[in-house]
Amino acid sequence: MKLEVLRVSSESDSSSGLVFDVTNGRKFLCYSLEDEYRDEKVMHETRVPAGTYKILLRKEGGFHGRYTKKYGDFHKGMLHVQDVPGFEYILIHTGNTDEHTSGCLIVGDSQENNQLKKNGFIGRSTQAYKRIYPPIAAALEAGEEVTITYTDYDDV
């Protein structure tokens, strides 16, 4: 399975994007929100560099415990973006503003223009997560390789 994040707007506090499944063609999945672009990384305040990374299931840690409690058997592990230079524990999860990201990718079914809203805003995050998570987790559990490519279309 191949996922792609097209970053379309980076402002002073957030980056807005679109998430696609590009395994067979291009299928829109949801909107995304991340921290902003920076030339030099600031912990919890910088988005991951453009590039392609593997995703694995992380079955430990605070997010995993909270999501197991919240989602029960639906939850198979956190979607963990691997081997991001200078970053650890980059996850795909729910949230609403860049304050919820710490470098992670948050997903949603609605998005406000981050040029107008300081921290960006993504809505209906749980709804989007519940829809996109099962096929990704199923692919990983079946031993399939899952990758995510971050592509910058924003002016940085």
Side-chain angles (χ1 to χ4, degrees), residues 2 11 21 33-34 54 57 68 70 85 88-89 92 99 111 133 137-138 151:
K2 295 180 181 181
E11 295 300 321
D21 179 343
L33 189 71
E34 302 171 80
K54 286 176 102 171
L57 290 173
T68 298
K70 181 177 181 176
E88 289 184 313
Y89 310 117
I92 298 172
E99 297 300 316
Q111 186 171 64
Y133 179 87
T151 304

Side-chain angles (χ1 to χ4, degrees), residues 65-86:
R66 287 191 299 277
Y67 276 49
T68 298
K69 187 175 182 179
K70 181 177 181 176
Y71 296 113
D73 291 339
F74 170 89
H75 180 71
K76 309 298 183 194
M78 296 304 300
L79 300 175
H80 183 198
V81 181
Q82 301 292 297
D83 302 319
V84 179

Side-chain angles (χ1 to χ4, degrees), residues 128-140:
Y129 187 80
K130 283 180 165 181
R131 189 183 65 259
I132 71 163
Y133 179 87
I136 300 168
L140 289 165

Side-chain angles (χ1 to χ4, degrees), residues 42-107:
V42 174
M43 190 171 212
H44 305 296
E45 295 293 332
T46 307
R47 71 186 193 193
V48 303
T52 300
Y53 308 97
K54 286 176 102 171
I55 295 176
L56 297 176
L57 290 173
R58 180 174 164 81
K59 298 182 179 199
E60 60 187 17
F63 263 98
H64 175 65
R66 287 191 299 277
Y67 276 49
T68 298
K69 187 175 182 179
K70 181 177 181 176
Y71 296 113
D73 291 339
F74 170 89
H75 180 71
K76 309 298 183 194
M78 296 304 300
L79 300 175
H80 183 198
V81 181
Q82 301 292 297
D83 302 319
V84 179
F87 290 77
E88 289 184 313
Y89 310 117
I90 298 300
L91 306 173
I92 298 172
H93 61 82
T94 63
N96 295 113
T97 72
D98 85 302
E99 297 300 316
H100 302 137
T101 66
S102 289
C104 296
L105 183 78
I106 58 175
V107 297

Side-chain angles (χ1 to χ4, degrees), residues 107-122:
V107 297
D109 277 340
S110 67
Q111 186 171 64
E112 290 187 21
N113 184 339
N114 70 340
Q115 296 171 337
L116 305 175
K117 192 150 180 110
K118 181 179 186 280
N119 293 323
F121 183 82
I122 199 158

